[in-house]
Amino acid sequence: MINVIRTKDYEEASDKAFEVMKEYLKPGKVLGLATGSTPLGLYARMVKDHQENGTSYKEIRSFNLDEYVGLPISHPESYYAFMHHNLFDHIDIPEENTHVPSGLGEDLEGQARHYDEMIDACPVDIQLLGIGSDGHIAFNEPGTPFDSGTHVTDLAESTIKDNCRFFDNDITKVPTQAVTQGIGTIMKAKAILLIATGSNKAKAVKEMLEGPVDVSCPASILQRHENVTVIIDEDAAALLG
Ligand code: F6R
């Protein structure tokens, strides 16, 4: 079941997302985390709450959705670096409790299977998601099977263009592959929180909420999950009926 929360703008969406997330900031909880522009407001609120209210992450664990193939963790646009820069370095979560898939190594598919085994042993309580303008969740592009596990994938042309802004607007610098949790992996999370803001998400939001459940819109599978909260601002909701 999808519970849709509508907000005026990005700031209000981030406030609402924090309200949902706050319930999970407790010892023993396992957070599924995302990168990209969308969660930045939520992460800023989590950092502020940690600093001002002392909310502790010492007994919280986290699993990130994805990582670019070929970027070392020292690269500023690696998702490992993103998570440290925007969240982990500002809260008290132990490094060993955090997990970001590695995009480096001889056996990426073997590493991907190991990532799923770790998640199976430590089920995610709440998975945070953004959505791509093409309806992707994590880097599961249109056409990805709904039962996929963590795997290596090619990024869609539209995703490479969307992410160009993080690589000096130079399309040749954007990695073309990623390691991503599969849709099957994401669907195992006990609860899902998806945030979508801005007009470039409006079409994907409409397909996710009102379209058929079909691999052409990977996020449409969320209609089959029992506990989903979708937070959308006015611009992202513009095409809804
Ligand atoms: C990031 C991720 C992606 C993004 C999506 C939206 O870990 O898995 O699916 O959530 O591409 O990106 P933004 O938030 O930058 O619009």
Side-chain angles (χ1 to χ4, degrees), residues 34-39 65-66 79 129-132 136-139 165-166 201:
T35 58
S37 306
T38 306
L65 287 171
D66 41 20
Y79 286 168
L129 296 176
I131 184 170
H136 72 222
I137 47 175
F139 277 130
R165 66 193 196 278
F166 299 116
K201 303 293 172 68

Side-chain angles (χ1 to χ4, degrees), residues 10 33-40 43 64-68 79 82-83 127-141 159 162-163 165-166 179-181 186 194-197 200-201:
Y10 178 75
L33 299 177
T35 58
S37 306
T38 306
L40 288 173
Y43 292 162
N64 263 78
L65 287 171
D66 41 20
E67 178 60 284
Y68 290 116
Y79 286 168
F82 175 102
M83 288 310 300
Q127 176 65 56
L128 176 64
L129 296 176
I131 184 170
S133 59
D134 63 356
H136 72 222
I137 47 175
F139 277 130
N140 295 286
E141 300 286 14
T159 302
D162 284 349
N163 289 1
R165 66 193 196 278
F166 299 116
V179 180
T180 180
Q181 281 191 30
I186 292 168
L194 184 146
I195 311 168
T197 58
N200 66 325
K201 303 293 172 68

Side-chain angles (χ1 to χ4, degrees), residues 1-7 12-24 38 42 125-131 137 186-187 189-196 205 208-209 219 222-233:
M1 215 205 75
I2 301 186
N3 172 31
V4 180
I5 299 175
R6 292 189 184 217
T7 67
E12 200 191 332
S14 301
D15 286 340
K16 290 281 175 206
F18 179 68
E19 272 175 36
V20 175
M21 185 57 90
K22 183 94 180 81
E23 293 302 308
Y24 293 86
T38 306
L42 169 61
D125 289 295
I126 186 163
Q127 176 65 56
L128 176 64
L129 296 176
I131 184 170
I137 47 175
I186 292 168
M187 288 292 282
K190 293 176 205 163
I192 290 178
L193 169 61
L194 184 146
I195 311 168
V205 164
M208 165 176 67
L209 296 176
L222 299 180
Q223 294 176 26
R224 301 253 166 93
H225 192 284
E226 62 183 19
N227 184 358
V228 181
T229 302
V230 168
I231 299 177
I232 45 176
D233 73 352

Side-chain angles (χ1 to χ4, degrees), residues 57 116 157 178 220:
Y57 291 74
D116 275 340
E157 201 59 43
S220 65

